Amino acid sequence: MRGWFGWLLAGLLLLPSSVMAAEIRHADHIWQDDDRLLVRVYLDVVLPDVLVEALANGIEVTLFSEVRLEYARGILGERLVKEREKSVRIRYYALSRHYVVTDPDRQRVELAPTLGDALELLAERLGRVVLDIGRERLRPDVDYTLSARVKLDHAALPLPLQWDARLRGAYVTQLGWYRWPLR
Amino acid sequence: MALLFLLLLTSLVLMGDAAQNSDRFEQVFLWLLAFHGLVLVALAVLIIHQFVRLIVQYREGVPGSRLTLRLVAGFMLVAVLPVTVVYYFSFKFLNEGVDSWFDVRVDGALEDALELSRSSLDLRVRQLSRETQEIMIQLEDLSEVLVPLALNDVRAQMGAQELTLVGANNRIIASSTDSPIRRLPAPPGADILLRMSPGQPFTRLEPQADGSLVIRVVAAVGDRRPGGDSRILQGVFPVDPRMSALAVRVQDAFVDYREFAYLRGPIKQGFIFTMSLALALSLMAALWAGLVVARRLVRPVTDLAEGTRLVASGDYSTRLAVGRDDELGFLVRSFNTMTRRLHEAREEAESNRRLLDAERAYLESVLQHLRSGVLALDGSLRLRTANAAACQILECDMCAEYNRFLSEFDEECPLVGQFFDAISDALVRREQEWSREVVVFTRSGRKVLMTRAVWLPDPGNNRGLHAIVFDDMTEFLRAQRDAAWGEVARRLAHEIKNPLTPIQLSAERLARRLGNTLNGTEREMLERATRTIVQQVEAMKTLVNAFRDYAQAPRLALAPLDLNGLLRDVCELYEGDGHVSRVTLDLAPKVPSIRADAGRLRQLLHNLIKNALEAVQGQSDGEVRITTESIADGHGHRVELRVADNGPGIRPDFLERIFEPYITDKPRGTGLGLAVAQKIVEEHGGIIECHNQATGGAVFVIRIPGIPGGDTERVGDEHA
């Protein structure tokens, strides 16, 4: 009995996982005004097959982009100054055979006829993040760093898929931090 | 154990709860999974450890291991069978039951419904596309000043939400909306422009954030005026709310169904995983609990087995811990009561045995110190006990020869053989109580043993015990005889000696008075008669004096005396005394001095030498050999004097009584010489023995205590 269960668990855990192929090609920022810093992250996003299949079957997928402004404190590590998360949802709209990209920030629904277009749209929406921070708060003698990453919102997936994600690790869709200095 | 089960149950409940709640799943799933994994590993380790221990104990034959193994096997069977059955049917139900929720016909119907909605909406889209193209043709000749006015009219006529005319470079020429609060219309996006084809308007059904549907139509025409650019008209038309709602509902149902169908695999996997985890945990926990419970159940039995083994090996102090109040506890308590009673009985028996040993030792000590000989024989006449006095009297070391038949001592111990022959008839008859005088013969004479015996039957079995007590009465009887003879001698001296002098004087007076009055013959007869009377009276006086000497209490003048010197003095008297025989002295070089009366010892030596010389009288090779020797043994230093001759020896029937008065084999002996000799030796605390030599002749052996440290140097052997 114990052996059977062990093999089952090992099989579930050792199944090959498909990682979201996303890459931050480049990132930049610009002060929109004295209180808002617009961060632009240029992404290439390719969903794993299992999520593509899930999308095709009507499951909505939510991705997060996280942007952080911080500075180094030596051995004490990084000190966070400001952070912002932005989520963008994508789903397949069977009635019109389009993919729908929803940006909750902008209360806007955008359509894309193909998944590639939808992912480009998604990358575009995820890559535009505004940090509300006053420029005067930043000390000129400190080197600030901006960091950005993209990750899948597991909790937004249906529970069975969360099981699957947890057990198989098939939805490891979190990129490493991309860092660049604040000018 | 209960805590572990509680934890497991709680974690399983939490896991089930997390499976229903997305947020909680995100928070606790991994922790619960790790916890269950740890519990599984811990249980597996515990079970393997217990099993290995159990198998080792089973192979080593540890008490209780076999029973434990059987109980565990039983528990396993009881736990595994129903759980496996339940698991099998649950697994089957999940696999087949969940699949049965999905029907191809439902799938097809939803597809058809969706397609119907699409077709219905497509009709509207094509209509709007055509109408938009017609409007575009109407607007293409209008100047940019007139277009906004025309656009408002057209929008109102077509019922559009928004109409936008875009010129070159995506410049909005004019727009019209149905609501003033609606934000400004946006020109068509690049994605739309790229997908537009000449003569064919772009159409798209678009869902709105509020869930409603709109139809976007984008048509392009050229400006037919001189120098005119191409223009794009974009129209956004609302879909009839009822139709929109129906279409969205159909689409939502379709999507939900597809989603559910798609998720059935993960759903099943999740259920099966949870169920398998619960099954594995339950089985492992049941197995471990079975092992623990089996051990707890078997422990009293094991303890009892071990306790029984200890009791069998003689350890009655074993007490088992009573940790329960059931039948096994009752059994353990009974066992403890039994061992306690056995222990008490054993202690009592041990105490009695010690008491008996002490009694036996006491009796043994008394027996060993008794001067009477004591023998104990069992019913088959095997020797059980013999005290030291018995060994000494019977001249046999029987104390180390227990369990031998008494008759078997005949060869090495002749006295025992004689003694047994004399009493065997009474022993065989098992007479209850008897006594008799037993006479045995030794080389130095006979021994008179006063023997008394009792038969002690053992009512418990057929074996009994002969208790035989005997005393060597020889010396006592001899002393008794000596005393009797002493009394006789004293009376003789008193009653006979007194009349002898008057008789002698009267006879001499008769001879003197009547000798002158009688004539020759009568006178000669008188003289002869009176002379005879006087001679006989003298003889009687000599005899009476000898008796007097024997009977008189000694008045010894004891002084340190060199026996060798005394011997040399005495033997000088026999040199040239007309004796043919030789008297030879063989004196030890160092002989202790003795405390003795020289006169009495001289009388003793004369008696013995004279007696020996008479024994060899007439023999040409007659020889009297006198030797001395110093003896040191447990009784101290003694001087041994031996007077031996090579004559004919002493008649055996005389040998026993040779030292008694009036016992003599000489025609003219008084029979008092050796009696007096014995008396002198005893006056000096010594002993005298007489026996015949194997080479012929008799030897008298005298042993007299020496003075410690009073050695005398040897002067040299002398021969008389």
Side-chain angles (χ1 to χ4, degrees):
Chain A
M1 184 63 203
R2 183 169 48 78
W4 176 88
F5 183 77
W7 283 114
L8 173 69
L9 196 61
L12 286 173
L13 293 174
L14 295 177
L15 276 175
S17 60
S18 53
V19 181
M20 179 177 73
E23 183 186 3
I24 297 177
R25 296 195 311 275
H26 174 61
D28 203 350
H29 62 276
I30 185 169
W31 287 98
Q32 288 185 322
D33 50 39
D34 287 342
D35 295 325
R36 291 191 301 176
L37 178 66
L38 172 63
V39 176
R40 290 298 309 272
V41 179
Y42 301 96
L43 290 166
D44 285 332
V45 178
V46 179
L47 291 180
D49 292 343
V50 66
L51 284 182
V52 172
E53 194 181 352
L55 273 174
N57 283 282
I59 292 165
E60 188 175 65
V61 175
T62 304
L63 279 91
F64 274 113
S65 62
E66 283 183 86
V67 175
R68 307 175 73 173
L69 176 65
E70 55 202 4
Y71 61 91
R73 292 187 301 166
I75 58 171
L76 296 175
E78 305 284 334
R79 171 66 183 268
L80 181 66
V81 179
K82 190 75 178 177
E83 70 174 340
R84 172 80 193 278
E85 275 189 359
K86 179 175 184 179
S87 67
V88 178
R89 299 196 297 270
I90 179 172
R91 66 186 174 107
Y92 180 67
Y93 200 73
L95 204 57
S96 63
R97 294 190 179 90
H98 276 70
Y99 288 89
V100 177
V101 178
T102 306
D103 181 352
D105 285 356
R106 301 173 68 185
Q107 290 292 310
R108 184 171 173 183
V109 175
E110 295 174 285
L111 293 177
T114 64
L115 181 61
D117 296 336
L119 290 178
E120 280 182 14
L121 203 55
L122 179 82
E124 168 67 20
R125 296 292 170 254
L126 281 175
R128 292 177 67 87
V129 180
V130 175
L131 286 178
D132 296 323
I133 180 166
R135 182 181 280 187
E136 72 281 1
R137 280 182 58 195
L138 304 181
R139 289 158 48 189
D141 57 330
V142 174
D143 295 328
Y144 292 93
T145 305
L146 282 161
S147 313
R149 71 173 178 180
V150 175
K151 66 179 184 179
L152 176 71
D153 185 2
H154 283 98
L157 290 171
L159 271 172
L161 277 189
Q162 289 188 43
W163 275 92
D164 202 33
R166 291 297 181 197
L167 290 175
R168 298 199 303 172
Y171 307 97
V172 183
T173 49
Q174 179 170 300
L175 298 178
W177 288 100
Y178 183 88
R179 299 172 192 276
W180 72 99
L182 176 70
R183 291 187 306 276
Chain B
M1 194 165 69
L3 184 66
L4 181 67
F5 278 118
L6 199 62
L7 272 174
L8 268 178
L9 199 62
T10 308
S11 63
L12 282 171
V13 169
L14 283 174
M15 200 156 181
D17 186 45
Q20 308 298 321
N21 186 307
S22 180
D23 293 336
R24 199 163 298 163
F25 181 89
E26 184 74 9
Q27 292 166 1
V28 301
F29 179 80
L30 283 179
W31 291 108
L32 290 176
L33 195 64
F35 173 72
H36 287 143
L38 279 176
V39 170
L40 268 177
V41 170
L43 280 174
V45 169
L46 280 173
I47 289 168
I48 289 170
H49 173 255
Q50 293 274 353
F51 258 114
V52 168
R53 206 174 112 199
L54 190 56
I55 288 170
V56 168
Q57 288 176 346
Y58 179 79
R59 286 185 178 168
E60 289 175 353
V62 174
S65 57
R66 188 181 295 268
L67 185 56
T68 307
L69 206 60
R70 285 183 181 172
L71 277 174
V72 170
F75 283 142
M76 279 178 68
L77 202 65
V78 169
V80 169
L81 268 182
V83 171
T84 308
V85 169
V86 169
Y87 181 77
Y88 170 75
F89 283 107
S90 303
F91 187 83
K92 196 173 174 184
F93 170 75
L94 272 175
N95 263 327
E96 296 176 2
V98 171
D99 286 343
S100 69
W101 298 343
F102 302 95
D103 194 333
V104 177
R105 288 177 298 177
V106 175
D107 197 11
L110 284 172
E111 287 267 8
D112 294 344
L114 183 65
E115 194 57 38
L116 191 62
S117 299
R118 280 178 186 153
S119 301
S120 173
L121 289 170
D122 275 349
L123 283 175
R124 176 68 177 152
V125 168
R126 278 197 294 274
Q127 179 194 350
L128 290 173
S129 174
R130 191 171 55 250
E131 289 175 358
T132 302
Q133 276 185 310
E134 289 171 3
I135 292 167
M136 194 62 198
I137 292 169
Q138 292 173 19
L139 294 176
E140 64 183 348
D141 294 331
L142 290 178
S143 66
E144 290 188 3
V145 180
L146 295 175
V147 166
L149 294 174
L151 207 58
N152 271 332
D153 294 340
V154 172
R155 184 195 61 75
Q157 182 185 342
M158 293 180 69
Q161 279 185 357
E162 174 187 316
L163 280 178
T164 305
L165 184 65
V166 180
N169 298 323
N170 226 10
R171 180 178 59 86
I172 296 176
I173 298 170
S175 68
S176 174
T177 63
D178 62 349
S179 172
I181 58 172
R182 195 183 299 275
R183 63 183 179 180
L184 282 176
D191 57 324
I192 296 175
L193 297 176
L194 287 173
R195 286 183 176 79
M196 287 183 63
S197 53
Q200 184 65 34
F202 170 84
T203 59
R204 189 167 71 186
L205 184 68
E206 293 183 354
Q208 299 299 293
D210 61 359
S212 61
L213 294 173
V214 296
I215 297 170
R216 187 181 295 274
V217 181
V218 181
V221 293
D223 187 352
R224 286 181 289 183
R225 292 177 307 168
D229 296 326
S230 62
R231 293 177 176 180
I232 294 172
L233 179 62
Q234 175 179 264
V236 178
F237 304 93
V239 178
D240 175 59
R242 178 171 170 73
M243 187 174 180
S244 174
L246 286 173
V248 169
R249 204 178 304 162
V250 168
Q251 194 227 216
D252 289 347
F254 174 78
V255 167
D256 287 348
Y257 186 81
R258 289 288 298 272
E259 181 181 328
F260 197 40
Y262 173 72
L263 291 176
R264 64 180 166 178
I267 286 173
K268 283 195 290 186
Q269 285 175 5
F271 279 132
I272 289 170
F273 177 75
T274 309
M275 198 170 64
S276 301
L277 191 64
L279 172 79
L281 285 170
S282 305
L283 277 181
M284 299 282 255
L287 200 56
W288 184 55
L291 276 164
V292 173
V293 170
R295 281 201 182 281
R296 284 190 182 173
L297 277 176
V298 171
R299 182 167 297 154
V301 180
T302 309
D303 291 347
L304 276 173
E306 179 63 16
T308 309
R309 191 186 64 75
L310 288 173
V311 168
S313 65
D315 181 5
Y316 297 127
S317 62
T318 306
R319 298 287 182 277
L320 302 180
V322 185
R324 46 204 307 162
D325 197 23
D326 53 8
E327 286 76 7
L328 283 171
F330 173 75
L331 194 59
V332 171
R333 277 195 295 277
S334 301
F335 177 84
N336 285 342
T337 306
M338 180 190 77
T339 53
R340 191 185 68 247
R341 287 181 180 167
L342 280 172
H343 184 66
E344 289 169 359
R346 187 185 186 178
E347 286 291 316
E348 193 176 341
E350 188 66 22
S351 172
N352 289 337
R353 191 188 63 76
R354 280 197 293 271
L355 203 61
L356 281 174
D357 284 347
E359 291 286 336
R360 187 177 295 129
Y362 172 73
L363 281 176
E364 194 83 18
S365 174
V366 170
L367 278 179
Q368 294 304 323
H369 289 87
L370 275 179
R371 298 186 68 84
S372 300
V374 178
L375 293 178
L377 308 179
D378 63 14
S380 56
L381 304 184
R382 288 176 191 271
L383 181 63
R384 289 297 181 195
T385 304
N387 69 346
C391 298
Q392 186 186 350
I393 293 171
L394 295 177
E395 298 176 4
C396 182
D397 186 13
M398 296 182 288
C399 296
E401 302 284 343
Y402 292 158
N403 277 332
R404 281 182 68 184
F405 288 104
L406 205 57
S407 56
E408 291 176 356
F409 289 94
D410 194 17
E411 287 187 6
E412 66 264 34
C413 302
L415 289 190
V416 178
Q418 293 177 45
F419 183 69
F420 178 68
D421 289 344
I423 64 172
S424 59
D425 57 331
L427 296 177
V428 170
R429 285 197 301 275
R430 293 185 176 175
E431 291 181 10
Q432 191 65 31
E433 191 171 349
W434 52 269
S435 65
R436 65 176 61 171
E437 189 177 287
V438 176
V439 179
V440 294
F441 294 91
T442 68
R443 285 194 306 164
S444 57
R446 69 172 197 162
K447 282 188 177 178
V448 180
L449 306 179
M450 193 61 211
T451 307
R452 299 168 300 282
V454 177
W455 165 245
L456 303 170
D458 184 356
N461 53 40
N462 199 23
R463 300 165 68 182
L465 199 71
H466 293 283
I468 304 166
V469 181
F470 53 95
D471 291 294
D472 185 358
M473 303 297 289
T474 310
E475 291 300 323
F476 174 75
L477 292 174
R478 181 183 296 160
Q480 210 174 26
R481 277 196 299 271
D482 289 349
W485 277 112
E487 181 64 19
V488 169
R490 193 181 61 78
R491 284 180 181 274
L492 276 175
H494 181 73
E495 300 295 335
I496 297 175
K497 190 180 178 182
N498 287 344
L500 285 181
T501 302
I503 290 170
Q504 186 181 5
L505 290 174
S506 297
E508 287 174 349
R509 189 179 300 155
L510 278 176
R512 200 167 47 245
R513 291 274 180 92
L514 294 177
N516 294 330
T517 60
L518 295 176
N519 54 19
T521 309
E522 290 176 340
R523 184 179 176 181
E524 187 177 349
M525 187 185 69
L526 178 64
E527 288 177 350
R528 195 167 57 240
T530 54
R531 191 168 54 248
T532 301
I533 290 170
V534 169
Q535 283 177 345
Q536 291 302 318
V537 166
E538 283 294 330
M540 287 186 70
K541 277 186 176 176
T542 304
L543 183 64
V544 168
N545 283 336
F547 270 106
R548 184 200 58 200
D549 291 343
Y550 177 74
Q552 268 183 346
R555 290 180 181 172
L556 301 177
L558 296 177
L561 177 70
D562 175 14
L563 185 59
N564 283 351
L566 182 65
L567 281 169
R568 281 191 287 271
D569 289 346
V570 170
C571 288
E572 278 181 0
L573 299 175
Y574 293 92
E575 290 180 2
D577 194 27
H579 292 283
V580 178
S581 304
R582 292 201 313 159
V583 176
T584 306
L585 283 177
D586 184 5
L587 305 180
K590 283 186 177 180
V591 173
S593 299
I594 58 174
R595 287 184 64 81
D597 185 327
R600 295 289 283 173
L601 277 194
R602 193 180 293 273
Q603 183 184 357
L604 166 69
L605 294 174
H606 278 305
N607 278 355
L608 293 178
I609 294 170
K610 189 179 171 187
N611 194 57
L613 287 172
E614 287 174 358
V616 297
Q617 194 172 19
Q619 287 184 217
S620 59
D621 60 344
E623 183 185 18
V624 175
R625 188 176 185 81
I626 300 172
T627 59
T628 57
E629 190 177 354
S630 174
I631 298 174
D633 57 16
H635 301 287
H637 287 273
R638 287 183 295 169
V639 179
E640 184 178 275
L641 168 66
R642 300 173 76 92
V643 179
D645 64 65
N646 57 351
I650 301 166
R651 281 164 45 192
D653 54 332
F654 272 45
L655 196 58
E656 178 197 345
R657 304 173 62 192
I658 191 86
F659 295 109
E660 288 184 14
Y662 264 103
I663 298 298
T664 179
D665 56 350
K666 297 172 189 170
R668 290 191 299 174
T670 61
L672 289 174
L674 290 178
V676 170
Q678 185 194 36
K679 189 172 175 65
I680 292 170
V681 170
E682 288 177 350
E683 285 167 1
H684 286 81
I687 58 168
I688 182 169
E689 294 174 356
C690 172
H691 50 80
N692 290 321
Q693 299 182 100
T695 54
V699 61
F700 286 85
V701 180
I702 297 163
R703 295 189 188 95
I704 296 174
I707 299 173
D711 290 353
T712 54
E713 292 294 331
R714 171 178 176 162
V715 175
D717 290 349
E718 295 183 21
H719 303 283

